[in-house]
Amino acid sequence: MPDSYIIEVNSQTAGIVVRSQGGYRFFASSDRFYRLEGQLFRNAREAERAARKLANGDVEEAA
C-alpha cells in the first residue's frame, strides 16, 4: 500500500495525504481545502470524500 496519495476534486488538486501513525494526514494544496489541513483520516478514500464535501459547500460534514 502506498505511503501517499494525491487527492483531486473536479480535476483540481485538493492536496495530498501521507500515511502516518493512526491513518493518513491531509496537506492542502490550495486555500480552498485549507480547512482539512493536518486532519487525520482512516484512509485516503475518507480524505477524498471530505475534500469533495468541502468543495460542494458542505463545510460541516467535511470537518
Side-chain angles (χ1 to χ4, degrees):
M1 190 178 287
D3 288 332
S4 62
Y5 293 94
I6 296 170
I7 304 295
E8 291 184 348
V9 176
N10 301 327
S11 300
Q12 178 186 7
T13 304
I16 63 169
V17 287
V18 178
R19 188 192 314 238
S20 64
Q21 190 171 14
Y24 285 83
R25 190 154 314 272
F26 188 93
F27 296 93
S29 64
S30 73
D31 292 341
R32 182 177 184 191
F33 298 97
Y34 190 73
R35 184 175 173 90
L36 301 176
E37 179 76 18
Q39 287 191 32
L40 189 64
F41 296 92
R42 288 180 289 196
N43 53 53
R45 178 77 69 199
E46 186 179 278
E48 181 181 4
R49 278 193 294 267
R52 286 190 185 284
K53 287 179 179 180
L54 185 60
N56 291 329
D58 195 351
V59 177
E60 291 298 320
E61 275 294 312

